[in-house]
């Protein structure tokens, strides 16, 4: 029979009541150390949402493209366009942030990325899909790097 440590239910007393009391007090203090400013909470939420969106894209995009009879090699090209967009944005990211500021650049990149995702699901043709994938790669890279820089500055 398994018993939690420190309990006398099983006839075992592994920890003294003093040790249990100290552990309990330390455990109760943890939430006070995890309180972040409001902006950081939104930042961590955005990390989760962007990771979920990126993961969903990796599953649904090939499905949508194959549903529209796109070859496997063209599906690979579409995903390469996403990566190429990120590489392209890496050359212009410092200018983008310098022009708009960090918070505004985060807002712009998240809006454009969300709009590109919303529009890409309405499949209009393979080349338009590749253009939207390129745009998504640009602004996904921008958002992730700006967000990480902002997080490191706090």
């Amino acid at each position: 029979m398994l018993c939690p440590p420190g309990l006398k239910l099983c006839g075992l007393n592994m920890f003294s009541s003093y040790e249990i009391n100290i552990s309990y007090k330390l455990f109760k203090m943890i939430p006070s150390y995890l309180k972040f400013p409001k902006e950081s909470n939104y930042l961590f939420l955005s990390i989760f949402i962007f990771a979920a969106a990126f993961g969903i894209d990796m599953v649904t995009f090939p499905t949508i493209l194959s549903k529209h009879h796109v070859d496997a090699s063209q599906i690979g090209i579409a995903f390469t366009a996403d990566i190429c967009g990120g590489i392209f944005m890496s050359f212009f990211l410092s200018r983008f942030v310098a022009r708009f500021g960090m918070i505004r650049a985060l807002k712009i990149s998240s809006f454009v990325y969300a709009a590109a995702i919303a529009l890409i699901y309405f499949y209009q043709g393979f080349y338009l899909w590749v253009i939207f994938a390129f745009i998504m790669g640009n602004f996904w890279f921008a958002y992730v790097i700006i967000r990480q820089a902002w997080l490191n500055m706090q």
Side-chain angles (χ1 to χ4, degrees):
M1 180 169 145
L2 292 174
C3 294
L7 295 179
K8 297 181 181 179
L9 296 174
C10 300
L12 300 172
N13 189 8
M14 299 176 73
F15 299 104
S16 69
S17 62
Y18 176 74
E19 291 171 331
I20 292 172
N21 192 22
I22 294 294
S23 299
Y24 179 73
K25 286 181 181 178
L26 289 173
F27 182 73
K28 291 293 261 181
M29 289 172 42
I30 289 173
S32 65
Y33 290 116
L34 294 178
K35 291 182 182 174
F36 297 108
K38 187 177 180 181
E39 295 84 14
S40 296
N41 289 334
Y42 290 134
L43 189 64
F44 292 133
L45 179 64
S46 75
I47 292 170
F48 171 74
I49 291 171
F50 258 67
F54 192 69
I56 290 170
D57 293 347
M58 293 299 163
V59 175
T60 57
F61 286 0
T63 306
I64 292 171
L65 288 172
S66 61
K67 180 182 169 187
H68 291 284
H69 309 291
V70 176
D71 295 335
S73 62
Q74 289 179 325
I75 292 173
I77 290 170
F79 277 98
T80 305
D82 191 12
I83 295 167
C84 289
I87 293 169
F88 180 78
M89 180 55 99
S90 68
F91 294 111
F92 300 103
L93 185 59
S94 61
R95 289 184 223 153
F96 180 67
V97 173
R99 180 171 184 193
F100 295 109
M102 189 172 278
I103 302 300
R104 240 171 120 200
L106 280 171
K107 290 177 182 179
I108 291 168
S109 59
S110 64
F111 177 76
V112 173
Y113 182 76
I117 284 183
L119 293 173
I120 202 167
Y121 282 105
F122 302 108
Y123 183 83
Q124 296 296 320
F126 177 72
Y127 296 109
L128 188 59
W129 183 281
V130 170
I131 291 169
F132 278 127
F134 185 79
I135 292 169
M136 285 173 40
N138 277 308
F139 289 99
W140 180 84
F141 179 83
Y143 189 86
V144 168
I145 298 300
I146 296 168
R147 181 189 64 208
Q148 192 64 35
W150 185 42
L151 185 62
N152 288 339
M153 288 171 32
Q154 291 197 16

